[in-house]
């Protein structure tokens, strides 16, 4: 598969701030993908960055545990060539995501009444091979019935009791809005009332299209679009508790979870690329276009929420999301807990994306 024309070849000297980045931090994230690669290969994205071309870089990364910053920089410069990712229109865009941390109970109580649910037994994967005629082609999940599969229950139906009595509850939260943002992020750390630190991660979804509450509230004239952040959305819900269901049920998509261990508190959950996310170094991309494990140098000069200076960092593609579409679109993992949420919630910045493409794919081409 040839490389897409969405890429334009560059040199490392073209990358603003390349020499000042902490390449060793990026290498540590890349190395996690290197250890995953022999277990199961990543799908090659349609832009043509072949997974197999990473073999030499992955092999070297597995053999080197803790290089210095200069050694890590040399590693990336030897194995890769930076290529500017041309956006479909306008400029590239970055947003932020994080792993919420909330208090939870293993059982329902008078305070903890909002469940996080595991995948129901009648939720099945759906594709063109088993999709009934007339079913929305977008749907990737459906409900098994005695006849043909049908669209699964949506958020409103589930929260009104469509799945009651099936013993799907993993944990119980105190606030519906907290549960919703866990659905949006796809994972959470749970500070259990019995003293445990637990984690839930994405298992499946009901399948309908995601409709963000920020867009809904903007369309209703409740929050100006330019002021929509996670913080402003939360503030609106707090001020209008009687309208929470009204707004949230307009987002028909519902997320199901599975339990997971917290093996290393410094890392995030295991995401779509099957490695733990690294705060400030993992990025979610459009997996249909890009190949997991690809390093991206992201230049977002107006973004200062991460460390009070222009964001210019080497990130590793290790996750995806339904809202992450297009070649120059990324969601930056900010970490876990409230402080990370404060960062992630305000990130919406123009950005230039440079994919680091294995040299083996370029046949000796130079910028």
């Amino acid at each position: 598969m040839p490389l897409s024309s969405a890429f334009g070849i560059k040199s490392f000297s073209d990358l603003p701030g390349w020499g000042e980045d902490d390449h060793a931090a990026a290498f540590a994230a890349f190395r996690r993908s290197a250890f995953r690669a022999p277990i199961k290969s990543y799908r090659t994205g349609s832009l043509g960055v072949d997974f197999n071309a990473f073999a030499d870089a992955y092999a070297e990364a597995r053999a080197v545990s803790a290089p210095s910053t200069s050694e890590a920089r040399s590693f990336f410069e030897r194995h890769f060539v930076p290529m500017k990712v041309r956006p479909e229109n306008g400029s590239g865009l970055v947003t932020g995501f994080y792993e919420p941390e909330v208090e939870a109970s293993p059982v329902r109580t008078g305070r903890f009444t909002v469940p996080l649910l595991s995948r129901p037994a009648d939720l099945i994967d759906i594709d063109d091979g088993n999709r009934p005629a007339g079913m929305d082609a977008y749907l990737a999940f459906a409900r098994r019935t005695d006849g043909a599969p049908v669209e699964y229950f949506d958020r409103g139906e589930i929260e009104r009791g469509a799945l009651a009595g099936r013993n799907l509850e993993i944990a119980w939260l105190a606030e519906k809005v907290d549960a919703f943002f866990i659905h949006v992020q796809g994972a959470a750390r749970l500070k259990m009332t019995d003293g445990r630190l637990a984690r839930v991660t994405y298992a499946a979804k009901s399948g309908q299209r995601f409709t963000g509450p920020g867009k809904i509230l903007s369309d209703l004239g409740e929050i100006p679009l330019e002021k929509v952040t996670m913080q402003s959305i939360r503030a609106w819900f707090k001020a209008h508790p009687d309208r929470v269901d009204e707004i949230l049920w307009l987002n028909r998509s519902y997320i199901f979870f599975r339990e997971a261990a917290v093996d290393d508190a410094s890392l995030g959950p295991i995401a779509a690329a099957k490695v733990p996310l690294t705060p400030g170094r993992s990025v979610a991309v459009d997996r249909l276009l890009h190949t997991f494990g690809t390093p991206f140098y992201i230049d977002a000069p107006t973004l200062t929420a991460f460390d009070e200076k222009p964001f210019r960092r080497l990130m590793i593609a290790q996750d995806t999301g339904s809202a992450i579409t297009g070649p120059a679109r990324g969601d930056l993992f900010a970490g876990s807990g409230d402080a990370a949420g404060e960062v992630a919630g305000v990130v919406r910045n123009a950005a230039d994306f440079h994919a680091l493409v294995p040299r083996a794919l370029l046949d000796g081409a130079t910028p």
Side-chain angles (χ1 to χ4, degrees):
M1 180 187 298
L3 278 175
S4 167
S5 60
F7 297 120
I9 193 165
K10 295 286 184 178
S11 68
F12 285 101
S13 62
D14 295 323
L15 308 184
W18 171 256
E20 287 73 58
D21 193 21
D22 183 357
H23 302 88
F27 179 88
F30 181 82
R31 190 168 186 259
R32 294 185 182 97
S33 286
F35 276 100
R36 172 66 189 180
I39 300 172
K40 185 175 182 180
S41 61
Y42 293 135
R43 174 188 178 277
T44 295
S46 64
L47 296 185
V49 180
D50 188 351
F51 164 78
N52 294 309
F54 289 87
D56 289 345
Y58 280 156
E60 183 176 332
R62 290 192 294 268
V64 179
S65 60
S68 67
T69 295
S70 62
E71 289 169 338
R73 174 179 172 178
S74 175
F75 168 86
F76 287 113
E77 291 178 352
R78 281 187 288 105
H79 284 283
F80 299 97
V81 173
M83 303 193 77
K84 177 74 176 290
V85 182
R86 299 186 176 101
E88 292 177 323
N89 49 61
S91 64
L93 175 70
V94 289
T95 50
F97 73 112
Y98 77 113
E99 182 184 36
E101 186 171 281
V102 299
E103 191 176 4
S105 171
V107 296
R108 179 172 181 145
T109 70
R111 177 186 172 200
F112 295 96
T113 61
V114 182
L116 298 176
L117 301 182
S118 60
R119 179 172 180 158
D122 63 348
L123 179 69
I124 61 172
D125 295 350
I126 201 85
D127 56 29
D128 291 342
N130 62 348
R131 187 187 312 279
M135 178 176 279
D136 186 347
Y138 176 86
L139 297 175
F141 296 91
R143 180 162 59 94
R144 182 191 300 113
T145 69
D146 291 337
V150 298
E151 181 178 330
Y152 208 77
F153 303 117
D154 69 8
R155 174 175 297 277
E157 292 170 314
I158 292 169
E159 293 190 351
R160 290 190 294 269
L163 299 180
R166 299 199 191 182
N167 297 317
L168 300 175
E169 297 84 1
I170 296 174
W172 299 83
L173 309 184
E175 300 290 340
K176 181 172 286 190
V177 173
D178 283 342
F180 178 78
F181 278 104
I182 290 172
H183 282 222
V184 172
Q185 303 301 325
R189 291 186 190 180
L190 306 179
K191 296 180 289 185
M192 305 299 289
T193 54
D194 60 12
R196 292 179 295 124
L197 181 62
R199 170 177 275 150
V200 291
T201 62
Y202 170 91
K205 58 184 177 180
S206 58
Q208 297 86 1
R209 289 169 176 80
F210 174 84
T211 306
K215 183 179 188 305
I216 294 170
L217 292 171
S218 175
D219 289 347
L220 292 172
E222 297 290 339
I223 304 176
L225 182 60
E226 67 275 11
K227 294 186 178 180
V228 169
T229 64
M230 183 181 69
Q231 290 86 341
S232 67
I233 294 169
R234 280 186 173 275
W236 190 93
F237 281 135
K238 185 174 182 180
H240 302 84
D242 57 321
R243 297 186 65 187
V244 170
D245 286 342
E246 170 198 342
I247 302 302
L248 294 188
W249 290 351
L250 291 174
N251 172 48
R252 299 183 64 218
S253 176
Y254 189 92
I255 305 300
F256 301 102
F257 297 94
R258 62 179 178 83
E259 295 181 79
V262 183
D263 295 322
D264 185 339
S266 70
L267 297 175
I270 293 175
K274 306 304 181 186
V275 297
L277 297 177
T278 303
R281 292 294 168 176
S282 294
V283 60
V285 297
D286 187 336
R287 73 177 304 178
L288 297 179
L289 301 178
H290 295 297
T291 304
F292 283 155
T294 301
F296 284 87
Y297 190 73
I298 298 176
D299 177 20
T302 65
L303 171 56
T304 58
F306 275 77
D307 54 11
E308 298 184 350
K309 62 182 181 180
F311 188 94
R312 293 181 169 119
R313 290 192 189 185
L314 186 57
M315 309 286 288
I316 312 300
Q318 294 175 323
D319 201 4
T320 192
S322 57
I324 312 303
T325 58
R329 177 73 175 90
D331 209 15
L332 311 174
F333 181 62
S336 304
D338 291 344
E342 290 299 311
V343 173
V346 299
V347 178
R348 188 176 182 83
N349 298 78
D352 288 332
F353 285 70
H354 297 84
L356 269 60
V357 174
R359 289 187 178 274
L361 292 177
L362 300 179
D363 295 327
T366 57

